Amino acid sequence: MRLTHDTDSAPPIPTIALPDGIVRAVVKPKAKTAKKAGDVASEATADSYRSLIASQDKEIQRLKRQLAEADAGRKEQVESLRSELAESAQRQAAAEQAASASERALQELTREQEDLLICLAESDLRAGRLRDRLRALGEAVESDDDDDNDDGDGGGSGQVDAGGAVATLPGSATAGDEALSYQLV
C-alpha cells in the first residue's frame, strides 16, 4: 500500500494503491467543525425570516377570512338594499296610482259640480221667468231679493231692517211666544 499524489490534476487528491492494482482515493470524512460567528448570524437571520414569513402567512389567512366575511356581509347588504328599493318602487307605483285615481275622481266631481251649477242657473232662470209670468197674470209673488236674503229658516217671512237684522213677523214661526231675530253676516 502506497500513498501517492496524482500530479496530473490540479488539486492534489491523496490516493492509495492496493495490491490488486486498484487505486483508491483517500477521503477523509469531514470532521464536524465549529460554526463560525458569521454562520451563526446568518442562521439566526434565516430563522427570523422564517418566523416573519410564518407570522405574515397567518396574517394573510386572517385577512382573507375577514375579507370573505366582509364580502359576504356586503352581498347581504346589497341584496337587502335591492329588496328595499323594489319595495319602495312598488309603494311609489301604488301611491302614483292612488294619486292618479284621486285626480280622476276630483276631475269627475268638478265636472259634476259644473253640471249642477249649470242646472241651478237654468233652474233660477226658469224660476225667474215663471215669476214674471205669474206677475203678468196678477199673482202675488215673492221677489228675487227675498230669496237671496233667505236665512235658511224656510219661512221666508222675515223682514230686513236698516241695521241688517231680520225680525220675525207676528204669526210666523217662533220659538215660544218670543220672536227670533238674526244678524246677517
Side-chain angles (χ1 to χ4, degrees):
M1 215 182 342
R2 185 180 89 149
L3 246 321
T4 61
H5 281 293
D6 187 12
T7 57
D8 295 339
S9 66
I13 300 176
T15 58
I16 298 177
L18 297 176
D20 299 343
I22 300 175
V23 177
R24 298 237 174 194
V26 177
V27 179
K28 293 182 183 177
K30 289 187 176 180
K32 291 186 178 180
T33 60
K35 293 185 179 180
K36 297 179 184 176
D39 290 340
V40 172
S42 64
E43 188 67 29
T45 304
D47 286 341
S48 70
Y49 282 135
R50 283 186 201 107
S51 67
L52 178 64
I53 289 170
S55 68
Q56 286 177 345
D57 282 342
K58 288 179 185 178
E59 181 70 14
I60 289 171
Q61 295 304 320
R62 184 185 66 79
L63 291 173
K64 283 182 179 179
R65 283 191 305 272
Q66 282 182 344
L67 180 62
E69 291 170 1
D71 191 40
R74 183 191 54 81
K75 286 180 182 178
E76 289 175 9
Q77 286 178 338
V78 167
E79 290 301 318
S80 173
L81 290 173
R82 283 185 180 156
S83 66
E84 287 179 25
L85 180 63
E87 290 172 7
S88 294
Q90 289 174 349
R91 286 193 303 265
Q92 181 182 3
E96 287 174 354
Q97 288 176 348
S100 176
S102 295
E103 184 67 29
R104 285 191 304 270
L106 178 63
Q107 289 173 353
E108 181 65 28
L109 288 173
T110 302
R111 274 186 254 135
E112 287 180 20
Q113 182 183 21
E114 289 171 357
D115 291 346
L116 289 173
L117 287 173
I118 290 171
C119 289
L120 180 62
E122 289 173 354
S123 176
D124 280 347
L125 185 62
R126 184 173 171 208
R129 287 183 193 151
L130 289 174
R131 272 190 222 103
D132 290 343
R133 282 179 67 193
L134 284 173
R135 284 185 192 129
L137 293 174
E139 293 291 322
V141 180
E142 294 179 15
S143 69
D144 291 340
D145 293 338
D146 287 345
D147 289 341
D148 291 341
N149 292 329
D150 191 8
D151 59 0
D153 63 358
S157 60
Q159 292 181 348
V160 179
D161 65 5
V166 176
T168 305
L169 297 175
S172 63
T174 62
D177 292 333
E178 299 176 11
L180 297 176
S181 62
Y182 299 96
Q183 178 70 31
L184 293 177
V185 182

